[in-house]
């Protein structure tokens, strides 16, 4: 398999709306990858990658959708939003749960615009509020108990990872019984989520090379 071949979308996934599936398919099949050695781990400026989604895999999205449906989620956090792939799964779950709000966060204005266009094409824009700017500021006040948070961050040049900084902001705002899904297995994020003092239990799922799913217990 070529290094960036992420495989096809599962035709038996839980989202059946053809309009939503079409946008997911479009984002998945047109995703771009930087040249080897030229990605965000080398150049940490998010603006330099305005044309790259770095989106979650549809299998991760299917899991987000299923869990949100099962728990009747109404308020969820999408960090970060990029071009809107993860937001599409969250927003479909909000709509299919009878209503709700996806609070997105994205630093790059061009990506906010792309995400809004993709959500509009899918008919889901009314369920999503994308907060443009640095998530460490925009997610400080989420306005109430959060049911589910995706922590899908960006490499930091030094110091704590963004995933770690954002989970420290979001965790106190997550309700007991709420879920956190993490895409990139940042070591300091995993240390936070696995520290019993922080009130989570978690497991590593074999999706996209290791996806951490955590449940807030207290
Ligand atoms: C891995 S991508 C998110 C992919 C998205 N979840 C999806 O499925 O399409 C990470 C995103 O974080 C954004 N970003 C980087 N630093 C940020 C910050 N401090 N606050 C908010 N967003 C940030 C980047 O521009 C990039 O679009």
């Amino acid at each position: 398999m070529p290094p960036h071949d992420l495989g096809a979308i599962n035709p038996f996934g839980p989202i059946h709306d053809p309009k939503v599936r079409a946008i997911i398919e479009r984002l998945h099949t047109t995703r771009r990858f930087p040249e080897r050695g030229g990605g965000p781990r080398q150049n940490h400026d998010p603006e330099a990658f305005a044309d790259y989604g770095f989106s979650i895999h549809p299998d991760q999205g299917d899991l987000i959708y299923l869990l949100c449906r099962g728990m009747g989620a109404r308020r969820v956090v999408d960090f970060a939003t990029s071009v809107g792939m993860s937001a599409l799964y969250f927003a479909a779950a909000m709509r299919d749960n009878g209503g709700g709000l996806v609070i997105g966060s994205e630093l790059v204005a061009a990506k906010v615009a792309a995400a809004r266009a993709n959500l509009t094409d899918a008919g889901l824009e009314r369920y999503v509020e994308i907060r443009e700017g640095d998530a460490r500021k925009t997610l400080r006040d989420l306005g109430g108990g959060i049911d589910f948070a995706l922590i899908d961050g960006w490499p930091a040049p030094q110091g704590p990872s963004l995933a770690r900084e954002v989970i420290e902001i979001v965790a106190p705002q997550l309700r007991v019984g709420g879920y956190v899904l993490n895409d990139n297995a940042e070591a300091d994020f995993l240390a936070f989520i696995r520290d019993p003092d922080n009130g989570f239990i978690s497991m590593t799922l074999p999706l996209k090379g290791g996806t951490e799913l955590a449940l807030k217990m207290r």
Side-chain angles (χ1 to χ4, degrees), residues 63-121:
L63 179 65
I64 287 172
Y65 177 85
L66 267 184
L67 291 173
C68 285
R69 289 302 310 278
M71 75 193 304
R74 295 284 180 145
R75 293 182 66 77
V76 299
V77 169
D78 179 46
F79 166 69
T81 298
S82 186
V83 295
M85 180 74 115
S86 44
L88 284 162
Y89 287 94
F90 274 128
M94 296 303 101
R95 180 195 61 189
D96 299 343
N97 280 347
L101 180 66
V102 184
I103 301 172
S105 169
E106 176 53 54
L107 196 62
V108 178
K111 287 186 161 183
V112 174
R116 287 200 177 115
N118 289 324
L119 288 157
T120 300
D121 289 351

Side-chain angles (χ1 to χ4, degrees), residues 3-207:
H4 288 135
D5 184 351
L6 293 181
I9 294 178
N10 178 3
F12 305 109
I15 295 181
H16 298 148
D17 179 342
K19 211 166 152 184
V20 178
R21 288 186 68 95
I23 308 305
I24 289 169
E25 180 92 34
R26 184 174 83 199
L27 291 180
H28 185 58
T29 54
T30 60
R31 68 172 79 214
R32 304 173 59 207
F33 299 94
E35 294 291 316
R36 187 178 283 277
R41 288 185 200 286
Q42 287 75 34
N43 176 1
H44 298 103
D45 179 9
E47 295 286 349
F49 297 96
D51 296 338
Y52 295 81
F54 300 114
S55 294
I56 59 165
H57 189 278
D59 289 344
Q60 295 171 306
D62 285 348
L63 179 65
I64 287 172
Y65 177 85
L66 267 184
L67 291 173
C68 285
R69 289 302 310 278
M71 75 193 304
R74 295 284 180 145
R75 293 182 66 77
V76 299
V77 169
D78 179 46
F79 166 69
T81 298
S82 186
V83 295
M85 180 74 115
S86 44
L88 284 162
Y89 287 94
F90 274 128
M94 296 303 101
R95 180 195 61 189
D96 299 343
N97 280 347
L101 180 66
V102 184
I103 301 172
S105 169
E106 176 53 54
L107 196 62
V108 178
K111 287 186 161 183
V112 174
R116 287 200 177 115
N118 289 324
L119 288 157
T120 300
D121 289 351
L124 293 170
E125 72 283 4
R126 84 191 67 154
Y127 302 99
V128 185
E129 169 196 320
I130 305 175
R131 299 183 180 179
E132 187 176 323
D134 189 329
R136 290 166 292 189
K137 294 196 177 101
T138 63
L139 299 183
R140 272 186 201 153
D141 182 2
L142 297 167
I146 295 298
D147 298 305
F148 199 121
L150 172 68
I151 304 291
D152 181 17
W154 190 259
Q158 68 227 348
S161 70
L162 259 182
R164 171 64 183 247
E165 290 189 273
V166 172
I167 190 61
E168 288 192 18
I169 293 163
V170 171
Q173 305 181 72
L174 193 74
R175 73 164 168 89
V176 170
Y179 286 109
V180 178
L181 192 83
N182 167 250
D183 183 41
N184 298 314
E186 291 88 346
D188 56 354
F189 170 89
L190 294 176
F192 178 91
I193 226 70
R194 291 172 181 168
D195 179 346
D197 287 348
N198 292 325
F200 288 90
I201 53 174
S202 76
M203 67 179 292
T204 309
L205 300 168
L207 293 177

